[in-house]
Amino acid sequence: MEKKPHFVRREFLPREVPSISLALLLAAVLLFNALLYLYLNKFYNALGRVETDPGLCPFGHFKFGAVKNCSPWLSCEAINREVRKLKCVGEGAVKKVFLSEWKEKKVVLSQLTNSDLKEDFLHGLKMLKALQSKYVVRLLGYCEQQFTILTEYHPLGSLRGLNETLHIPKYKGMNTWHRRLMLAIDYVSVIRYLHSSPLGTLVMCDSNDLDKVLSQYLLTSDFHVLVNDLDALPLVNRSAGRLVKCGHRELQGEFVAPEQRWPYGEDVPFEDDLMPPYDEKTDIWKIPDVSNFFLGHVEGSDIVRLHLFDIHAACKKKDPAERPSAQEVLDTYRKVLTLLIREAAMPGTREML
């Protein structure tokens, strides 16, 4: 029988070429995933959101700027002698805030304005001392006798001014879905930290509307989120049967969680003693609204919202027990960020496979 090797060649050649192409494509995808993993690690490290912060000092000390050594928190005497007020930059129910100067550095001096609220002021100071971390504004000193707190200054101010900041020519390059999602991740990271803090599960009670929430956080110059106001931070202790109530007045509106609203209808006058307490899941209810503010209306933000739809729907469950933890929300946010970066870098990869 006559041999026809050229037919054999023709029969296998078309199968070999796609196999080689597919192998190369798979190798490219694996390489890309490895590079993406390294990139995201570097990205998180560069933005200062790694789990350990080498810039932190031992308890009772601080450092900031280019200074390498840690200094003790400033005492009453040091604050009175070395800190100079420049101008008042804000005033709330509890304290007045002054832009000040210490050793040619801008700092923030906060002073109690209402003696009836001194317990709130001292609670905020206690929280600020105990929770010093990458998530909390840096404490530089305090004077309990004079009800004074000294903290690091952040020129971009509170998150209320985020959209205005992003329209400044210097920061327009930051106005992307990617950077905005990173800010939302920072915010959820703070909530996660408070819910698993060294003191226990803490609830962010100064959060009855969006504007109030945004006023509690600072935007740093390298575009991160720090919690700044810790005056209303009660502790949940389930094992001891201890839940919380955010204040003694009736809370209303869709922004606050259902369990924070008066449950007995309009016909029954509000009484604080009859109001049931609740837990940290009130913070989870508010995450979608705060994140919606962060995402804004830039190109790509609607795609991000679409990917976050399920986790945000879970956050809005009426039953607090059915809502996810802050850690679960944070994990989902990070997965969405990784997924969208991958899709942006290699569009069509799924279709090619």
Side-chain angles (χ1 to χ4, degrees):
M1 190 170 86
E2 185 180 356
K3 294 183 181 180
K4 298 180 179 180
H6 56 282
F7 287 124
V8 176
R9 230 176 262 142
R10 286 178 186 170
E11 183 180 347
F12 283 95
L13 187 58
R15 295 180 184 175
E16 291 173 356
V17 172
S19 298
I20 294 172
S21 299
L22 182 59
L24 290 173
L25 178 59
L26 287 172
V29 170
L30 290 173
L31 177 61
F32 169 76
N33 284 334
L35 292 173
L36 178 63
Y37 175 80
L38 294 173
Y39 165 76
L40 287 174
N41 272 350
K42 183 178 180 181
F43 184 77
Y44 277 105
N45 292 346
L47 294 180
R49 308 315 284 183
V50 290
E51 290 304 316
T52 56
D53 186 351
L56 288 178
C57 293
F59 182 80
H61 295 73
F62 73 92
K63 68 176 179 178
F64 69 103
V67 178
K68 293 184 178 180
N69 298 324
C70 295
S71 302
W73 287 334
L74 299 186
S75 63
C76 296
E77 180 183 0
I79 291 174
N80 292 332
R81 184 180 65 251
E82 301 173 13
V83 177
R84 181 169 65 95
K85 291 181 185 177
L86 299 178
K87 63 177 180 179
C88 178
V89 292
E91 184 173 1
V94 178
K95 53 186 176 287
K96 185 178 288 188
V97 180
F98 297 89
L99 175 63
S100 305
E101 191 175 59
W102 174 70
K103 294 187 176 180
E104 299 183 349
K105 298 182 179 68
K106 296 288 193 303
V107 293
V108 173
L109 188 71
S110 302
Q111 292 184 316
L112 178 68
T113 55
N114 185 346
S115 58
D116 293 336
L117 298 175
K118 64 182 180 181
E119 293 303 320
D120 291 18
F121 184 91
L122 293 176
H123 177 75
L125 173 58
K126 177 184 175 182
M127 294 293 104
L128 196 55
K129 290 192 289 184
L131 298 175
Q132 283 295 289
S133 65
K134 64 188 177 186
Y135 305 106
V136 179
V137 69
R138 189 166 287 141
L139 178 64
L140 308 180
Y142 63 92
C143 180
E144 286 193 33
Q145 298 93 314
Q146 299 173 7
F147 297 98
T148 299
I149 300 174
L150 193 70
T151 54
E152 189 174 9
Y153 172 62
H154 293 279
L156 296 183
S158 79
L159 288 176
R160 284 188 295 190
L162 173 64
N163 288 324
E164 289 76 12
T165 297
L166 289 171
H167 282 95
I168 297 173
K170 179 181 178 181
Y171 298 111
K172 278 189 175 180
M174 299 285 195
N175 196 17
T176 63
W177 70 263
H178 179 249
R179 181 63 64 162
R180 283 176 171 271
L181 179 54
M182 283 300 304
L183 291 175
I185 288 174
D186 276 2
Y187 165 71
V188 177
S189 296
V190 173
I191 298 298
R192 188 276 309 266
Y193 174 68
L194 295 178
H195 287 185
S196 57
S197 81
L199 301 177
T201 301
L202 300 168
V203 181
M204 193 66 177
C205 266
D206 255 344
S207 56
N208 297 335
D209 57 65
L210 178 61
D211 192 65
K212 186 64 174 176
V213 171
L214 298 176
S215 71
Q216 309 302 304
Y217 296 84
L218 295 171
L219 179 64
T220 68
S221 297
D222 59 350
F223 271 70
H224 285 301
V225 174
L226 296 175
V227 64
N228 180 52
D229 196 330
L230 303 174
D231 294 345
L233 211 61
L235 178 69
V236 169
N237 188 338
R238 283 191 187 84
S239 60
R242 180 180 176 181
L243 301 178
V244 305
K245 287 192 286 188
C246 290
H248 304 288
R249 298 179 182 179
E250 183 177 2
L251 301 179
Q252 297 177 327
E254 292 299 315
F255 188 82
V256 296
E259 63 271 22
Q260 292 184 281
R261 303 172 210 152
W262 179 243
Y264 303 118
E266 295 180 358
D267 296 335
V268 181
F270 176 82
E271 287 188 42
D272 183 44
D273 291 340
L274 298 179
M275 181 66 198
Y278 35 83
D279 62 18
E280 77 281 2
K281 290 299 183 73
T282 58
D283 290 334
I284 304 300
W285 171 273
K286 298 160 188 173
I287 285 176
D289 299 294
V290 180
S291 290
N292 188 53
F293 167 80
F294 279 123
L295 293 175
H297 300 284
V298 298
E299 182 180 357
S301 62
D302 287 341
I303 300 297
V304 179
R305 286 185 180 90
L306 183 63
H307 281 80
L308 296 177
F309 180 85
D310 288 342
I311 191 68
H312 283 172
C315 291
K316 291 294 187 179
K317 293 281 189 180
K318 188 173 182 180
D319 183 355
E322 295 182 3
R323 296 174 204 155
S325 67
Q327 182 65 63
E328 290 170 322
V329 178
L330 181 60
D331 290 343
T332 301
Y333 274 38
R334 286 174 170 168
K335 287 177 183 175
V336 168
L337 174 64
T338 302
L339 173 66
L340 292 178
I341 289 176
R342 181 185 291 120
E343 290 185 349
M346 288 191 70
T349 300
R350 190 179 303 163
E351 290 77 2
M352 291 169 68
L353 291 172

